[in-house]
């Protein structure tokens, strides 16, 4: 086949180069049983590469490439070549790396593979960086991020970008990149990325002569590297610590790390690796020569048989020529018809491609427009809800109170609508992905039910939780997105159920070691859904009928959001319903359990009413109306405030004064709230900083925490949540992102 012929030589060369040119072979590798999955070899190669066992990594990647060719998996072959190229870069064999990158490029010209295209830009950025073409490297990394949405590759792009910023002495940008990787949730390389990020910060602080911070980060990196056997990072951290301690006159500590380096470099392990390299190279060379001789022998036999058949072939050829001549005229006419058909197909394909490009551009324009609109609406909406809250607390007359309550209801309704639009917009733009962190499922469900009790009371409906106690207490998944699923399902059930009952069910369906399958169901005895409308109920802005929309209100986006969020968990929502008798929405999710963890925090956490009187707070906010509202809300609690209208002023005030808390708006002209937080954290690591943001499509909570924020409150916020957050961080010292 064409595909096999195209890459046969590349794979043969892969086997030869992978075993003859590797400098550091795998030591003591156990024989691994053959696997049918290419991903198995990729994961194995990554683990071996991090431990500096590059010879073993090449062996695993060669097997992956061989399996990809056997299965005619072009994408798998591209990924294999790219990863092999990275190994050769680690071995300082740039020409070999370029060879494999070029082999991948040839295949990419024939297929549509965004991940492969992004990885090629990532490789070009690394090669440009090695040539000190740093701005070209930044451009290539930006292109790679645009083409790709794979979390692991994005994290590696951030790491490389951080090192490029470091080379350009753009220390603030580099710091932001490295900090975001220290708190990363990468499924494949979490510890390795954190180790490299600490090393990056250590080098950065060494360059800027922040010796103590450099040592702290180098020690953190060394601790992780030792724990997970990252050989090169152990060497690098020891070298950096030795040099840094020497610069500050701590010669005993410098000597200790120098000795560590000598012990590692002169260890039996290192010497054995060199011996094993020579032995492996000889064995592979002998094997490849034997196979080549066998192929030549086989070719000679085929040629001998061909000579014996040549006379018969000559006779048959004469007969065939006559037949071919007769067919030629017919084939010529058929070819003319095919050429005309191909021209027509090319024209149609071009038209379809133009239509597709126009549709993609329209989708991007819609996404950006909705993101901007939903973000911009939050600022005036904050004024509406904030002023309404303040007026309700100033003892209005009964007539005024009724109007203000209507205004508050309208503000809350509009906020929910904006939140739904932003959520759908993120889903359409592929901006959402499931995290994988430890959580308590029962607490997640209990919190959802608690937050919806007021709506249940208004409809005189009871919410029940039917929870299977055999479900493990510690599970791994994305609790926030699960909360959103149940908030929408339970909220939807309450909306259409009056004087009734809503039940949330969680049952353990299957458990095998750490793999857990849980069955969920939310059922009600409300108005139900007719059978002919059940198929469309999950589409955007669908609510069953115009009459239902008028009577019950809402956006019709809740079930669409549920369907999309469950897709992130590879799960599918199902529905059973009957008019007048209620509805039941159910689904299953596969999770990982962590049975070895022991609870060290009580299940129930009681909310406290904090006494904020006497606190002194800095409000960082560029909008004048929002400044007035936030200050007045705090004044009611007898809290004194300073106001900064931009990030630069905020940094100056924070340096000159002492505050109990800083309320930081993220989106401001000039330097952003994130940038201001990074600057403040250079001289103040203690004062709680709470981000106040009208969150938009491209905002990342992870980047807020990486910048040094302790918590995030989304505008417009509920006053009780606002006061609670301030109290927690000032009096309890709670922090979601410890500042190192």
């Amino acid at each position: 086949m064409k595909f096999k012929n195209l890459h046969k030589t590349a794979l043969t060369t892969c086997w030869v180069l992978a075993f003859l040119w590797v400098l550091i072979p795998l030591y003591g590798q156990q024989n691994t049983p053959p696997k049918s999955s290419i991903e198995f070899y990729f994961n194995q190669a990554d683990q071996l590469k991090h431990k500096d066992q590059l010879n073993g990594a090449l062996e695993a990647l060669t097997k992956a490439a061989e399996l990809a060719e056997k299965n005619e998996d072009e994408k798998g072959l591209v990924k294999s070549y790219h990863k092999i190229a990275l190994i050769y870069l680690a071995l300082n064999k740039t020409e070999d790396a370029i060879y494999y990158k070029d082999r991948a490029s040839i295949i990419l010209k024939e297929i549509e593979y965004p991940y492969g295209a992004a990885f090629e830009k990532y490789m070009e950025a690394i090669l440009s960086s090695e040539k000190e073409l740093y701005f070209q490297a930044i451009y290539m990394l930006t292109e790679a991020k645009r083409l790709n949405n794979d979390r692991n590759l994005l994290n590696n792009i951030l790491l490389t970008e951080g090192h490029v910023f470091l080379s350009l002495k753009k220390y603030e940008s580099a710091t932001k990149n490295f900090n975001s990787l220290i708190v990363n949730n990468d499924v494949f390389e979490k510890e390795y990325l954190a180790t490299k990020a600490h090393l990056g910060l250590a080098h950065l602080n060494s360059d800027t002569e922040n010796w103590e911070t450099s040592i702290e980060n180098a020690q953190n990196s060394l601790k992780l590297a030792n724990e997970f056997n990252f050989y090169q990072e152990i060497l690098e951290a020891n070298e950096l610590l030795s040099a840094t301690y020497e610069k500050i006159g701590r010669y005993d500590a410098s000597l200790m790390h120098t000795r560590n380096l000598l012990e590692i470099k002169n260890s039996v392990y290192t010497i054995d690796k060199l011996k094993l390299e020579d032995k492996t190279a000889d064995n592979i060379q002998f094997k490849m020569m034997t196979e080549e001789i066998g192929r030549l022998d086989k070719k000679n036999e085929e040629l001998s048989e061909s000579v014996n058949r040549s006379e018969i072939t000559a006779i048959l050829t004469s007969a065939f020529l006559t037949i071919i001549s007769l067919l030629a005229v017919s084939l010529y006419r058929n070819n003319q018809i095919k050429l005309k058909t191909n021209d027509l197909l090319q024209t149609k394909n071009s038209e379809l491609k133009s239509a597709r490009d126009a549709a993609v551009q329209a989708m991007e324009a819609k996404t950006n427009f909705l993101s901007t609109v939903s973000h911009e609406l939050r600022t005036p909406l904050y004024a509406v809800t904030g002023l309404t809250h303040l007026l309700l607390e100033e003892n209005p007359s009964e007539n005024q109170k009724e109007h203000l309550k209507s205004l508050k209801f309208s503000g809350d309704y509009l906020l929910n609508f904006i939140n739904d639009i932003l959520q759908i917009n993120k889903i359409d733009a592929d901006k959402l992905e499931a995290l994988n962190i430890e959580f308590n499922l029962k607490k997640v469900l209990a919190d959802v039910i608690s937050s919806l009790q007021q709506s249940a009371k208004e409809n005189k409906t009871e919410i029940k939780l039917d929870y299977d106690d055999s479900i493990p207490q510690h599970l791994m998944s994305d609790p926030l997105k699960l909360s959103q699923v149940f908030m929408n399902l339970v909220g939807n059930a309450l909306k259409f159920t009056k004087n009734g009952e809503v039940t949330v069910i969680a049952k353990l369906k299957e458990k095998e070691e750490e793999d857990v399958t849980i069955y969920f169901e939310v059922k009600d005895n409300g108005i139900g859904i007719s059978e002919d409308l059940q198929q469309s109920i999950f589409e955007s802005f669908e609510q069953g009928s115009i009459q239902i929309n008028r009577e019950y209100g809402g956006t019709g986006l809740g079930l669409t959001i549920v369907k999309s969020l469950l897709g992130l968990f590879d799960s599918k929502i199902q529905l059973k319903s009957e008019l007048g008798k209620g509805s039941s929405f159910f689904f299953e999710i596969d999770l990982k359990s962590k049975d070895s963890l022991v609870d060290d925090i009580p299940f129930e956490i009681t909310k406290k009413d904090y006494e904020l009187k006497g606190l002194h707070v800095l409000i960082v906010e560029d909008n004048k109306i929002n400044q007035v509202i936030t200050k007045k809300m705090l004044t009611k609690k007898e809290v004194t405030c300073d106001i900064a209208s931009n990030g630069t002023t905020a940094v100056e005030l924070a340096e000159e004064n002492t505050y109990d808390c800083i309320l930081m708006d993220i989106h401001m002209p000039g330097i952003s709230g994130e940038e201001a937080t990074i600057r403040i954290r250079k001289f103040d690591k203690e004062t709680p900083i709470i981000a106040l943001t009208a969150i938009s499509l491209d905002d990342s909570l992870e980047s807020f925490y990486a910048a040094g924020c302790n918590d995030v409150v989304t505008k417009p916020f509920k006053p009780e949540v606002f006061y609670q957050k301030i109290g927690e961080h000032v009096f309890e010292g709670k922090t979601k992102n410890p500042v190192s």
Side-chain angles (χ1 to χ4, degrees), residues 391-434:
L391 290 170
L392 282 169
E393 289 193 342
E394 292 179 354
N395 298 319
S397 66
E398 288 302 317
N399 288 339
Q400 290 173 328
K401 188 180 291 186
E402 190 171 334
H403 294 323
L404 288 171
K405 284 183 177 179
S406 298
L407 182 60
K408 183 177 184 299
F409 172 82
S410 298
D412 290 340
Y413 179 89
L414 183 57
L415 176 59
N416 288 331
F417 183 72
I418 291 170
N419 286 338
D420 284 348
I421 289 176
L422 186 60
Q423 187 80 335
I424 286 293
N425 212 23
K426 283 191 173 186
I427 291 167
D428 288 344
D430 289 330
K431 292 282 185 179
L432 287 182
E433 58 182 42

Side-chain angles (χ1 to χ4, degrees), residues 76-146:
L77 193 58
V78 167
K79 193 170 182 180
S80 300
Y81 285 162
H82 278 151
K83 285 183 171 287
I84 289 171
L86 281 182
I87 299 293
Y88 279 118
L89 279 178
L91 290 166
N92 295 319
K93 292 180 177 289
T94 305
E95 290 184 5
D96 300 322
I98 292 172
Y99 169 78
Y100 282 101
K101 184 186 82 69
D102 289 345
R103 297 312 302 161
S105 299
I106 292 170
I107 306 172
L108 281 171
K109 290 177 182 178
E110 305 297 326
I111 63 173
E112 188 74 21
Y113 187 23
Y115 175 88
F119 207 105
E120 182 165 288
K121 297 292 183 186
Y122 169 61
M123 289 285 300
E124 290 174 5
I126 294 174
L127 293 168
S128 297
S129 178
E130 288 187 348
K131 297 176 184 176
E132 298 185 2
L133 302 173
Y134 297 122
F135 289 103
Q136 185 174 333
I138 291 291
Y139 172 77
M140 290 299 176
L141 290 169
T142 303
E143 284 294 291
K145 285 190 279 189
R146 183 181 65 80

Side-chain angles (χ1 to χ4, degrees), residues 302-508:
E302 291 173 355
L303 288 172
S304 297
E305 292 175 3
S306 177
V307 170
N308 295 332
R309 291 195 299 264
S310 61
E311 293 181 3
I312 299 172
T313 303
I315 297 169
L316 292 174
T317 300
S318 300
F320 287 148
L321 284 172
T322 305
I323 297 170
I324 289 170
S325 299
L326 294 172
L327 292 173
V329 177
S330 176
L331 287 172
Y332 174 76
R333 296 183 66 183
N334 286 338
N335 282 336
Q336 292 301 310
I337 296 170
K338 285 182 180 178
L339 286 172
K340 291 180 181 179
T341 305
N342 285 339
D343 288 341
L344 181 61
L345 285 172
Q346 288 282 2
T347 303
K348 292 297 180 184
N349 281 338
S350 298
E351 292 174 359
L352 287 171
K353 186 176 183 298
S354 298
R356 184 199 66 186
D357 292 343
V360 169
Q361 289 176 359
M363 176 61 76
E364 289 178 353
K366 185 209 79 169
T367 297
N368 292 331
F369 173 74
L370 288 177
S371 175
T372 302
V373 168
S374 60
H375 177 265
E376 292 302 320
L377 282 175
R378 286 175 178 271
T379 299
L381 187 57
Y382 173 60
V384 171
T385 56
L387 288 171
T388 304
H389 169 76
L390 293 172
L391 290 170
L392 282 169
E393 289 193 342
E394 292 179 354
N395 298 319
S397 66
E398 288 302 317
N399 288 339
Q400 290 173 328
K401 188 180 291 186
E402 190 171 334
H403 294 323
L404 288 171
K405 284 183 177 179
S406 298
L407 182 60
K408 183 177 184 299
F409 172 82
S410 298
D412 290 340
Y413 179 89
L414 183 57
L415 176 59
N416 288 331
F417 183 72
I418 291 170
N419 286 338
D420 284 348
I421 289 176
L422 186 60
Q423 187 80 335
I424 286 293
N425 212 23
K426 283 191 173 186
I427 291 167
D428 288 344
D430 289 330
K431 292 282 185 179
L432 287 182
E433 58 182 42
L435 300 177
N436 191 36
I437 58 177
E438 187 267 330
F439 72 103
N440 184 299
L441 177 61
K442 190 172 185 179
K443 185 178 186 308
V444 167
L445 297 177
D447 287 346
V448 169
I449 291 172
S450 175
S451 66
L452 293 171
Q453 286 294 354
Q454 185 59 38
S455 298
K457 287 179 183 177
E458 290 174 1
N459 281 2
K460 297 179 181 178
T461 297
E462 183 181 3
I463 311 177
K464 291 183 177 180
L465 175 60
D466 182 2
Y467 189 85
D468 186 349
D469 289 328
S470 62
I471 296 173
Q473 288 192 1
H474 299 277
L475 298 169
M476 299 292 292
S477 190
D478 192 327
L480 179 59
K481 290 182 177 60
L482 284 175
S483 295
Q484 291 174 314
V485 167
F486 285 102
M487 285 289 287
N488 279 293
L489 287 177
V490 178
N492 200 61
L494 288 172
K495 185 189 299 183
F496 299 109
T497 306
K498 298 185 185 298
N499 302 308
E501 182 177 287
V502 173
T503 306
V504 180
I505 301 169
K507 298 289 183 184
L508 179 63

